[in-house]
């Protein structure tokens, strides 16, 4: 597949800005480090030419930004969306959180993004710069004289390895080729592994994972399925915002409720696991719900179609009984 | 007789229109069920937010059971159909996190089924008693 380059995006952005199709561009700017990019709005061609960044660390899902960024702006915002982002975008349209007429979606094809922690595991700490070369990522650390090369394959984020779809479910224009859905991605493999364990083993696994949570709330802040305006986490007086972990129950409760709130609406974009500073595999909670929904109520992919009804606000008279859940084969 | 016989704490969310009346009927008929079943009356089984179930466990419940009108008989037409999906997913998730699946249950029980109510509570209490105290979802701050 043709790799998407920065020039492809900047020339598209500048021409759309110049002909008045859009009045702002949502893109990436350099952050503290070359692998740590900051999503940002660009209003002028000069700014784009000088500061727009696109590389293998542009994993952030832009759809949630559009909820607030489209509010106070004249005209349209140009958003570059990867295939997985378009599912979240559609889901937000379904929930009437984004005004479609305020967004100009340019779909960009995607071969998978890099995960800095995987790179770090290979090169060691102290990364000072990374450049994306055709044969891999050249990583310079402060401890080495020569840069080390990490292949794109070794650096690829976990969520991109079992990517559910390379197909854009929504766009105005496409850069790169249209991809396909990937039903054989085996994204439920790890969930099935956990299901096969004994309750004691599962409990030990989850306690080990969840007790590391520092309650930074990044997972909920980044989630495009989590956009209510009156959320307790947005209320500084609620005390929920900076809750220090008191007992492990606190974490279990938080995580069950977080996952339940997005059950049936989570598009499996993987953002929550990506941003977690403690590397807690939150996607394994979301995917459990997705897997259950698929087996109990039929295949459902949130965000695939605008206007589809989420499984938890729907029912049939013949649904399975909660008691039958465990009578099923292999449970 | 053992003096310190372990009695599990059971929280039963009962729909006002059916199971709560069923519990009444069980009482009127002098059917016995364990006194450590604490009934919380709700207007419809659908009123039970997943958070209620977790809260009950947090505050020291050893088992949580939800009782509502039989599917098709909900007094608000469809409340219990939503409950059914919600609880199926929640209980499956609790199981996935390693909380014993015997600690949670949904049972449909009408106002005329006093005997079923008593029997269900007896069975459920027994099943939970066999597991012992709930250590996995308790919150030490809520202990006396
Ligand atoms: S829960 Fe995680 S995977 Fe699901 S939509 Fe939110 S951020 Fe994406
Ligand atoms: S991002 Fe990770 S550490 Fe932060 S609240 Fe979520 S699970 Fe906990
Ligand atoms: S009224 Fe009893 S379950 Fe809805």
């Amino acid at each position: 597949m043709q790799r998407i380059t920065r020039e492809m995006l900047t020339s598209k952005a500048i021409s759309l800005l110049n002909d008045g199709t859009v009045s702002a561009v949502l893109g990436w700017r350099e952050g503290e480090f070359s692998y740590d990019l900051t999503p940002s709005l660009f209003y002028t061609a000069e700014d784009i030419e000088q500061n727009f960044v696109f590389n293998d660390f542009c994993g952030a899902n832009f759809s949630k930004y559009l909820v607030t960024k489209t509010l106070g702006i004249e005209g349209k915002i140009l958003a570059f969306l990867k295939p997985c982002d378009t599912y979240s975008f559609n889901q937000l349209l379904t929930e009437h959180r984004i005004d479609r007429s305020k967004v100009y979606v340019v779909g960009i094809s995607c071969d998978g993004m890099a995960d800095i922690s995987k790179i770090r595991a290979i090169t060691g700490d102290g990364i000072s710069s990374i450049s994306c070369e055709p044969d891999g990522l050249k990583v310079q650390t402060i401890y080495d004289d020569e840069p080390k090369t990490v292949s794109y394959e070794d650096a690829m984020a976990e969520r991109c390895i079992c990517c559910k779809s390379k197909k854009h479910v929504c766009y105005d224009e496409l850069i790169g080729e249209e991809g396909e859905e990937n039903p054989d991605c085996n994204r439920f493999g790890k969930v099935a592994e956990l299901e096969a364990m004994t309750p004691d083993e599962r409990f030990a696994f989850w306690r080990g994972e969840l007790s590391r949570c520092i309650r930074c709330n990044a997972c909920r802040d980044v989630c495009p399925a989590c956009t209510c305006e009156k959320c307790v986490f947005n209320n500084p007086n609620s005390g929920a915002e900076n809750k220090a972990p008191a007992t492990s129950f606190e974490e279990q409760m938080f995580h069950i409720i977080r996952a339940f709130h997005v059950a049936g609406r989570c598009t499996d974009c993987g953002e929550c696991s990506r941003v977690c500073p403690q590397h807690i595999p939150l996607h394994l909670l979301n995917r459990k719900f997705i897997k259950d929904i698929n087996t109990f109520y039929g295949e459902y992919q949130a965000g695939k179609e605008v206007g589809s009804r989420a499984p938890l606000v729907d029912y049939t008279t013949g649904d399975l009984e909660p008691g039958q859940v465990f009578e099923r084969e292999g449970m | 007789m053992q003096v310190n016989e372990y009695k599990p704490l059971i929280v039963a969310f009962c729909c006002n229109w059916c199971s709560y009346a069923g519990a009444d009927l069980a009482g009127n008929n002098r059917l016995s069920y364990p006194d450590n079943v604490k009934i919380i009356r709700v207007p419809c089984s659908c009123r039970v937010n997943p958070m209620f179930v977790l809260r009950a466990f947090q505050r020291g419940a050893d088992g949580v059971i939800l009782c509502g009108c039989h599917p098709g008989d909900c007094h608000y037409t469809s409340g219990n159909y939503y409950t059914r999906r919600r609880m199926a997913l929640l209980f499956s998730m609790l199981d996935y996190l390693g909380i014993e699946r015997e600690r949670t249950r949904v049972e449909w029980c009408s106002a005329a089924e006093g005997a079923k109510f008593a029997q269900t509570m007896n069975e459920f209490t027994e099943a939970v008693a066999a597991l012992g105290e709930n250590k996995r979802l308790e919150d030490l701050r809520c202990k006396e």
Side-chain angles (χ1 to χ4, degrees):
Chain A
M1 196 190 280
Q2 187 193 11
R3 274 186 80 80
I4 304 292
T5 60
R6 173 184 181 272
E7 283 59 44
M8 291 159 114
L9 303 193
T10 49
S11 58
K12 173 58 65 194
I14 290 170
S15 75
L16 287 170
L17 259 186
N18 286 346
D19 70 15
T21 314
V22 299
S23 50
V25 176
L26 185 53
W28 298 265
R29 245 179 243 277
E30 187 129 359
E32 192 90 10
F33 304 101
S34 54
Y35 51 82
D36 177 24
L37 304 177
T38 309
S40 171
L41 279 178
F42 295 81
Y43 299 94
T44 62
E46 294 75 64
D47 196 12
I48 293 177
E49 265 157 15
Q50 284 161 21
N51 300 317
F52 191 101
V53 183
F54 183 76
N55 60 27
D56 284 86
F57 298 96
C58 293
N61 180 344
F62 275 170
S63 43
K64 187 175 183 175
Y65 290 87
L66 296 166
V67 174
T68 46
K69 295 291 178 240
T70 49
L71 288 180
I73 202 155
E74 290 280 325
K76 291 187 183 219
I77 290 187
L78 163 60
F80 294 109
L81 300 183
K82 305 187 296 310
C84 55
D85 304 342
T86 58
Y87 286 80
S88 310
F89 183 72
N90 263 0
Q91 183 62 28
L92 286 164
L93 293 179
T94 302
E95 292 167 12
H96 308 288
R97 302 295 287 125
I98 297 178
D99 181 351
R100 181 69 181 88
S101 65
K102 301 277 266 181
V103 187
Y104 190 86
V105 177
V106 175
I108 50 176
S109 59
C110 174
D111 306 318
M113 290 290 168
D115 177 352
I116 187 63
S117 32
K118 288 185 89 173
I119 297 174
R120 217 177 258 134
I122 297 170
T123 64
D125 279 338
I127 296 174
S128 52
S129 74
I130 300 183
S131 64
C132 306
E133 309 292 340
D135 59 332
L137 296 150
K138 293 262 179 295
V139 185
Q140 179 68 55
T141 73
I142 52 173
Y143 305 114
D144 297 308
D145 299 331
E146 290 294 314
K148 289 180 185 160
T149 307
V150 178
S151 73
Y152 287 108
E153 207 180 346
D154 291 342
M156 199 189 282
E158 218 52 55
R159 61 170 172 162
C160 303
I161 293 174
C162 48
C163 173
K164 63 181 178 296
S165 173
K166 299 275 183 216
K167 182 182 161 146
H168 290 85
V169 286
C170 171
Y171 58 86
D172 294 303
E173 207 175 313
L174 208 56
I175 298 185
E177 295 143 44
E178 176 73 286
E180 293 290 327
E181 283 180 33
N182 181 16
D184 303 324
C185 59
N186 189 31
R187 60 187 168 130
F188 301 119
K190 181 75 187 161
V191 176
E193 246 172 65
L194 280 167
E195 284 172 347
M197 291 181 180
T198 66
D200 291 347
E201 289 168 344
R202 280 199 294 265
F203 184 73
F205 173 82
W206 282 112
R207 173 145 287 186
E209 293 292 349
L210 299 183
S211 59
R212 291 187 289 121
C213 172
I214 54 171
R215 284 301 296 283
C216 64
N217 297 330
C219 50
R220 100 92 220 174
D221 286 342
V222 79
C223 175
C226 202
T227 62
C228 297
E229 275 161 32
K230 292 243 162 105
C231 182
V232 66
F233 288 104
N234 291 342
N235 177 358
N237 298 326
S238 72
E241 219 188 8
N242 48 7
K243 182 80 196 66
T247 66
S248 51
F249 178 84
E250 191 68 46
E251 274 61 66
Q252 281 167 321
M253 179 111 104
F254 171 73
H255 287 289
I256 300 168
I257 294 298
R258 187 201 62 79
F260 201 93
H261 271 202
V262 298
R265 304 186 301 115
C266 165
T267 60
D268 200 10
C269 66
E271 284 288 274
C272 42
S273 299
R274 177 181 72 86
V275 298
C276 178
Q278 296 292 81
H279 306 297
I280 299 173
L282 297 162
H283 58 281
L284 295 179
L285 294 175
N286 306 321
R287 284 185 184 166
K288 169 65 177 167
F289 278 131
I290 299 176
K291 182 169 182 276
D292 277 353
I293 286 169
N294 285 348
T295 25
F296 301 165
Y297 313 119
E299 291 281 321
Y300 179 81
Q301 172 59 54
K304 190 171 170 180
E305 279 163 45
V306 177
S308 69
R309 211 170 161 141
L312 276 177
V313 293
D314 202 5
Y315 66 85
T316 68
T317 53
D319 281 343
L320 109 164
E321 293 291 337
Q324 290 173 318
V325 166
F326 304 124
E327 287 163 19
R328 300 167 60 87
E329 222 184 325
M331 290 290 292
Chain B
M1 195 190 144
Q2 234 184 312
V3 194
N4 281 331
E5 200 191 332
Y6 165 64
K7 281 183 167 182
L9 177 63
I10 307 290
V11 171
F13 291 100
C14 292
C15 160
N16 179 43
W17 305 108
C18 48
S19 337
Y20 194 76
D24 253 357
L25 185 63
N28 286 341
N29 290 344
R30 303 194 165 265
L31 299 171
S32 67
Y33 62 88
D35 57 359
N36 43 331
V37 173
K38 306 296 180 206
I39 295 182
I40 298 179
R41 180 165 67 157
V42 286
C44 171
S45 65
C46 173
R47 175 67 184 88
V48 179
N49 181 319
M51 194 68 184
F52 294 5
V53 176
L54 298 181
R55 267 283 187 254
F57 280 122
Q58 181 192 26
R59 298 284 163 92
D62 298 308
V64 175
I65 181 165
L66 209 135
C67 299
C69 311
H70 285 269
D73 287 350
C74 174
H75 289 56
Y76 308 96
T77 321
S78 53
N80 53 9
Y81 288 129
Y82 294 106
T83 309
R84 190 159 66 170
R85 284 201 168 189
R86 221 179 271 159
M87 293 303 146
L89 289 177
L90 178 67
F91 294 169
S92 176
M93 175 54 87
L94 289 179
D95 177 64
Y96 182 66
L97 294 173
I99 317 307
E100 301 91 340
R101 55 181 72 162
E102 293 83 4
R103 291 194 193 275
T104 50
R105 190 177 296 183
V106 171
E107 205 65 61
W108 313 121
C109 180
S110 79
E113 292 175 322
K116 180 180 178 187
F117 185 86
Q119 195 199 345
T120 303
M121 292 306 156
N122 282 317
E123 280 172 13
F124 186 59
T125 309
E126 221 170 274
V128 175
L131 291 174
E133 271 184 74
N134 158 40
K135 292 268 181 218
R136 299 197 163 166
L137 275 179
E138 70 178 2
D139 191 331
L140 294 176
R141 292 168 302 175
C142 298
K143 294 263 144 137
E144 282 173 12

